[in-house]
RNA sequence: GCGGGCGUGGCGAAAUCGGUAGACGCUGGGGUCUUAAACACCCUUUCCUUUGGAGUACGGGUUCAAGUCCCGUCGCCCGCACCA
């Protein structure tokens, strides 16, 4: 071979790894274990560059840890339930199961050529009955532990298709297929009691030292622990059997500035009014329009209706406040009723301005007179403000202190009760859909809601279903629903709801430790392999998936499926950025944008010469056609080029822009390394004075590459490898020294470009596979450098530099610095006011 | 709307603790080799009114020293509980 040919080489080494079983995970008590996991993919049918980046990162970690002597678990599976399979069945016919398994086969076929160090013997899909049957067993265990219950909750209802819609399927308040105005409707649904763990999930965040700070912060905000007060506002006249309106507020310090009340349209008082007042009924009906998502509710126009009812202010009884029904008040949070302080809440202010309601200040900024116009006065809670005739007698205070003082004051007078509340709601897991894990429950007329017998698991999905009409095929299946009660044996009906796919992904990491066990987990395997030492995935999962997984691990511990040590399943988390690409756009006759694939654009023009408009990079998406298929890159350049590219340039947590020139450059670099290795392997030049220098360069490269990988800065490892290659190629060192350097190069390249690394390793006569060679360690003596360069600043600007021995005392450094020719010139005789020497860093002369 | 993040040359970026801004790579420019090309190799590439000055989205602040810390503004990205 005179040129590096990835197509031949990559297949050869993949076969060699398979034959040697290099990546099979084995429990080995003699070695430390390391569990690397990348978030498993949804089997859409095609891998994309984001997958390549995600799995290459995991692979670099897995291969490095293996070389460093760990027993590594690096598995792969499929998050295989979910809506797209049903959508495909509706659009193209066929069965979700066939579609899913065929996609899995396709994607596996695309992933294998990447040469990832995955133990494929552990592969499973969440739609395998062996997997979801174990999930059903855990659901039953959780029922027994009181972690599962049923209650009513709102869903998006499409009144034309007569079906429940996902938030994603509601576009501008309308159903995506029917285009009908979506309504909010209540259904009885299954819930996991994640709220039992609110405080635990919050406080345990402090122990997740190797999680990104931003993810911990997002989770903490999501759980939303707040200290507030529940206050009764007495109704001026009793209504519907109620004598008071109970509100929860986190800002009792602003009670003086309350000017009106707002209740949710679902609030009992609103409902009671609606029963007798058609105007209220119509308004409440209107409020049900639109989707259920918080973003939709929060951004919708704020609507209100004055009920005519009033309450008395609990502290200032001479004041009465009107009760409004507001479409922005959530029945799920607090008590479904709030008091509104438009002076200090922008949403309340917008509402007050719209309906001409009064606006009052509870406080001002100290020394200022803040007239509220269109902007509410909302300083941060730790800012000291000046309260106006506050009921506790407070004047200057932070909101934090004022809130506590207000709660104490009101509790002492029996006006309210301090309370801790969480924003976190229980996890609704019911889905009225076919392609998900059936909820293993039976509805019996005599016994009520009964869990299935474990012996009957898995409750399999029936295969004979159709998707020609909207709605849940399980619900209209002629026979599947009919069963017998596990308790009394009478005829009974199966639950037709299936589980949220987040349930599937909340424990797959545990299943990988014993993927074929006849129970959800195997105690010994779980004890050995858990926790995941490094978890890698997109930041879009920062809240829901990760929070649900943290809850589920706790629930699995409570039901005996995981050890106590595994309740925080992910020791370290890394959130990687996206792969982006420029967007190429032209316009059609009507001026609408038309997008073009990167492969159809050369030098900014289409094949017919039309110039395209280049829109800055965005996440690769089919709709914008800015996708590069990893398979075409592998076909053109090989997997190592794709792997090298996605590790280069951008830091892993940031987005990386895919460019054709970058891919070519990556390919050229790898060919260059091969060429140098080829030359070195055939060279017989004698030892040379530069041999020692090359040894130092090698040590530097080992240190830098290792530091880059361990610090999750693969781009810096790549830069270090470029530097090493440049030095090696220019070095005059002898053949033996160069061979040693090149062997180290192969070892350092191995995690990122494993095929090329094996080829070079073999070329230089390395023993066995480089994938199984130990990770090199730099000789500390070679990393030391006697002299250092110190920059000299004059008034903070760099004006000169000096070279001094590393450990020279400051007094000596000062002398040399002041004697420096450039320094003398710049000082021009001015007296030195101050001289700062930061050892090993810098000298600053202040005049 | 709410919560979180990000912003450095023509481009992707680096700068570990507040201490030389631009490592490494791409693109562009110039050159060597070649009959020519491809490949490869070498040099160069922040900007400007260049004995010097400016510069890390923008406007302020703290400091001997700010890309890094603080306050405010703008822009982009992610999440918002039934997308996965």
């Amino acid at each position: 071979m005179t040129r590096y040919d990835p197509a031949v080489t990559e297949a050869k080494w993949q076969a060699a790894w398979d034959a040697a079983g290099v990546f099979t995970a084995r429990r080995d008590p003699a070695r430390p274990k390391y569990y690397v996991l990348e978030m498993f993919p949804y089997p859409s049918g095609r891998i994309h560059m984001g997958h390549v980046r995600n799995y290459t990162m995991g692979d670099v970690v897995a291969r490095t840890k293996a070389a460093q002597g760990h027993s590594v678990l690096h598995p792969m599976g499929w998050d295989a339930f979910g809506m797209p399979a049903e959508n495909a069945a509706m659009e193209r016919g066929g069965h979700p199961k066939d579609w899913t398994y065929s996609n899995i086969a396709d994607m596996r076929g695309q992933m294998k050529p990447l040469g990832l160090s995955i133990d494929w013997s552990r592969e499973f899909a969440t739609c395998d009955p062996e997997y979801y049957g174990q999930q059903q067993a855990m659901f039953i265990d959780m029922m027994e532990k009181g972690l599962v219950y049923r209650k009513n909750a709102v869903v998006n209802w499409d009144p034309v298709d007569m079906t429940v819609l996902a938030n994603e399927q509601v576009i501008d308040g309308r159903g995506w297929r029917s285009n009908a105005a979506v309504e909010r409707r209540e259904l009885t649904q299954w819930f996991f009691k994640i709220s039992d763990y609110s405080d635990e999930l919050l406080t345990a965040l402090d122990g997740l030292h190797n999680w990104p700070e931003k993810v911990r912060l997002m989770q903490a905000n999501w759980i939303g622990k707040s200290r507030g007060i529940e206050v009764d506002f007495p109704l001026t006249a009793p209504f519907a059997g109620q004598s008071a309106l109970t509100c929860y507020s986190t800002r009792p310090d602003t009670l003086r500035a309350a000017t009106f009340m707002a209740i949710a349209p679902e609030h009992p008082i609103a409902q009671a009014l609606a029963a007798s007042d058609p105007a209220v009924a119509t308004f409440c009906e209107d409020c049900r329009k639109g989707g259920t998502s918080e973003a939709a509710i929060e951004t919708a126009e704020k609507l209100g209706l004055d009920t005519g009812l009033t309450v008395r202010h609990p502290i200032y009884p001479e004041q009465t406040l009107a009760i409004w029904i507001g479409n922005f008040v959530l029945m799920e949070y607090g008590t479904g009723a709030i008091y509104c302080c438009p002076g200090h809440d922008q949403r309340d202010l917008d509402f007050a301005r719209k309906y001409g309601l009064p606006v009052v200040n509870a406080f001002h900024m100290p020394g200022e007179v803040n007239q509220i116009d269109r902007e509410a006065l909302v300083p941060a809670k730790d800012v000291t403000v000046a309260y106006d005739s506050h009921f506790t007698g407070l004047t200057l205070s932070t909101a934090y202190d004022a809130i506590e003082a207000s709660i104490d004051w009101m509790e002492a007078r029996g006006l309210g009760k301090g309370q801790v509340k969480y924003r976190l709601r229980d996890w609704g897991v019911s889905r009225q859909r076919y392609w998900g894990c059936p909820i293993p429950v039976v509805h019996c007329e005599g016994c009520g809601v009964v869990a299935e017998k474990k012996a009957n698991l898995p409750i399999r999905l029936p295969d004979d279903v159709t998707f020609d009409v909207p709605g849940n095929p399980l619900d209209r299946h002629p026979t599947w629903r009919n069963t017998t009660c596990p308790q009394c044996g009478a005829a009974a009906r199966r639950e037709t709801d299936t589980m949220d796919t987040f349930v599937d992904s909340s424990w797959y990491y545990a299943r990988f430790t014993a993927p074929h066990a006849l129970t959800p987990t195997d105690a010994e395997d779980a004890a050995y392999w858990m926790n995941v030492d490094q978890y890698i995935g997109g930041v879009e999962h920062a809240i829901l998936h990760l929070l649900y997984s943290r809850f589920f691990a706790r629930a699995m511990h409570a039901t005996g499926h995981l050890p106590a040590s595994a309740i925080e399943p992910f020791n370290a988390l890394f959130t990687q950025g996206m792969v982006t690409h420029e967007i190429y756009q032209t316009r059609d006759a009507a001026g609408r944008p038309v997008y073009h694939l990167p492969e159809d654009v050369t030098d900014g023009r289409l094949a017919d010469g039309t110039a395209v408009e280049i829109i800055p990079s965005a996440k690769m998406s089919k709709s914008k056609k800015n996708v590069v298929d990893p398979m075409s890159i592998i076909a053109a350049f090989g997997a190592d080029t794709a792997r090298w590219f996605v590790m280069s340039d951008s830091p892993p947590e940031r987005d990386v822009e895919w460019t054709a020139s970058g891919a070519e450059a990556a390919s050229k670099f790898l060919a260059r390394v091969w060429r140098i290795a080829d030359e070195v392997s055939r060279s017989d030049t004698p030892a040379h004075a530069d041999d020692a220098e090359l040894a130092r360069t090698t040590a530097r490269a080992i240190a830098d590459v290792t530091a880059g990988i361990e610090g999750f800065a693969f781009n810096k490892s790549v830069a270090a490898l470029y530097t090493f290659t440049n030095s090696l190629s220019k070095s005059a060192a002898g053949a033996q020294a160069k061979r040693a350097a090149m062997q180290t190069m192969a070892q350092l390249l191995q995690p990122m470009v494993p095929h090329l690394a094996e080829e070079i390793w073999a070329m230089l006569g390395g023993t066995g596979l480089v994938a199984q060679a130990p990770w090199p360690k730099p000789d500390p003596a070679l990393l030391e450098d006697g002299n250092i360069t110190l920059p000299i600043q004059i008034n903070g600007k760099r004006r000169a530099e000096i070279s001094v021995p590393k450990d020279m005392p400051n007094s000596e450094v000062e002398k040399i610095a002041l004697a420096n020719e450039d320094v003398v010139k710049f000082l021009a005789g001015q007296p030195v006011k101050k001289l700062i020497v930061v050892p090993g860093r810098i000298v600053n002369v202040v005049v």
Side-chain angles (χ1 to χ4, degrees), chain A residues 356-527:
Chain A
L357 296 162
V359 179
V360 175
N361 276 71
F363 53 79
H364 293 86
M365 299 314 287
E368 290 178 33
V369 182
N370 311 98
Q371 194 70 45
I372 308 277
D373 179 22
R374 289 279 150 191
E375 283 201 7
L377 179 60
V378 195
K381 283 187 187 169
D382 57 358
V383 172
T384 298
V385 296
Y387 285 89
D388 307 322
S389 51
H390 197 266
F391 49 86
T392 60
L394 273 172
T395 49
L396 285 179
S397 172
T398 65
Y400 281 123
D401 294 341
I403 289 166
E404 288 309 314
S406 302
I407 293 172
D408 291 347
W409 189 91
M410 293 180 73
E411 278 190 334
R413 285 159 183 75
L415 291 172
K417 212 164 68 223
Q419 277 196 356
V420 170
K421 274 200 162 48
Y422 296 88
R423 203 183 76 100
L424 179 66
R425 307 199 293 258
D426 275 332
W427 177 8
V429 295
S430 281
R431 297 293 180 269
Q432 293 71 39
R433 274 182 257 285
Y434 166 77
W435 194 233
C437 171
I439 291 177
V441 162
V442 165
H443 299 270
C444 168
E445 259 186 52
C447 310
V449 179
V450 184
E452 259 295 355
K453 282 196 185 118
K454 282 202 183 165
N456 293 339
L457 302 183
I459 304 302
R460 287 169 185 270
L461 288 168
D463 288 334
D464 52 336
V465 286
T466 57
F467 295 87
D468 40 5
V469 279
N472 182 359
L474 294 179
D475 208 28
R476 57 171 186 264
H477 193 281
T479 57
W480 187 81
R481 297 171 46 169
N482 303 330
T483 185
T484 52
C485 172
Q487 209 160 286
C488 72
R493 200 169 51 76
R494 264 189 207 298
E495 172 64 61
T496 57
D497 281 355
T498 51
M499 289 184 218
D500 178 7
T501 55
F502 271 125
V503 182
D504 311 338
S505 55
S506 288
W507 72 286
Y508 76 109
Y509 52 87
R511 184 68 181 169
F512 275 135
T513 64
H516 311 298
L518 300 174
T519 45
T521 56
D522 173 273
E524 275 187 47
D525 282 310

Side-chain angles (χ1 to χ4, degrees), chain A residues 200-216:
Chain A
E200 152 82 14
L201 288 168
L202 179 67
T203 51
L205 287 171
D206 292 337
L208 299 176
H209 304 294
N210 293 311
W211 280 41
E213 186 59 40
K214 62 175 173 179
V215 174
R216 292 190 293 170

Side-chain angles (χ1 to χ4, degrees), chain A residues 105-137:
Chain A
D106 289 349
M107 280 181 81
R108 190 194 302 111
Q110 292 159 29
M111 279 170 72
K112 290 248 172 130
L114 284 170
L116 302 167
S117 65
I118 287 168
D119 179 357
W120 286 100
S121 72
R122 290 174 186 256
E123 175 191 356
F124 61 78
T126 55
C127 63
D128 296 342
E130 295 74 26
Y131 183 81
Y132 71 70
Q134 299 303 334
Q135 190 165 305
Q136 291 168 337

Side-chain angles (χ1 to χ4, degrees), chain A residues 51-68:
Chain A
H51 292 128
V52 174
R53 193 172 190 218
N54 189 197
Y55 305 140
T56 304
M57 284 179 196
D59 203 40
V60 170
V61 174
R63 285 172 175 272
T64 306
K65 289 294 172 184
Q68 288 173 338

Side-chain angles (χ1 to χ4, degrees), chain A residues 42-118:
Chain A
Y42 179 80
S44 62
R46 302 292 301 174
I47 65 165
H48 52 71
M49 278 302 170
H51 292 128
V52 174
R53 193 172 190 218
N54 189 197
Y55 305 140
T56 304
M57 284 179 196
D59 203 40
V60 170
V61 174
R63 285 172 175 272
T64 306
K65 289 294 172 184
Q68 288 173 338
H70 293 79
S71 169
V72 169
L73 172 58
H74 184 210
M76 184 55 66
W78 311 95
D79 188 13
F81 274 136
M83 289 200 309
E86 288 189 36
N87 294 341
M90 277 183 248
E91 279 157 25
R92 300 189 273 278
H95 195 282
K97 185 173 162 182
D98 299 334
W99 184 86
T100 303
Y101 280 104
S102 137
N103 281 353
I104 288 173
D106 289 349
M107 280 181 81
R108 190 194 302 111
Q110 292 159 29
M111 279 170 72
K112 290 248 172 130
L114 284 170
L116 302 167
S117 65
I118 287 168

Side-chain angles (χ1 to χ4, degrees), chain A residues 47-50 579-581 597-599 620 625-633 658-660:
Chain A
I47 65 165
H48 52 71
M49 278 302 170
V579 181
T580 65
H581 198 284
L597 289 167
E599 62 240 44
M620 288 188 179
K625 286 199 174 183
N626 61 335
V627 286
V628 173
D629 184 355
M631 299 324 287
S632 65
I633 298 302
W658 185 275
T659 59

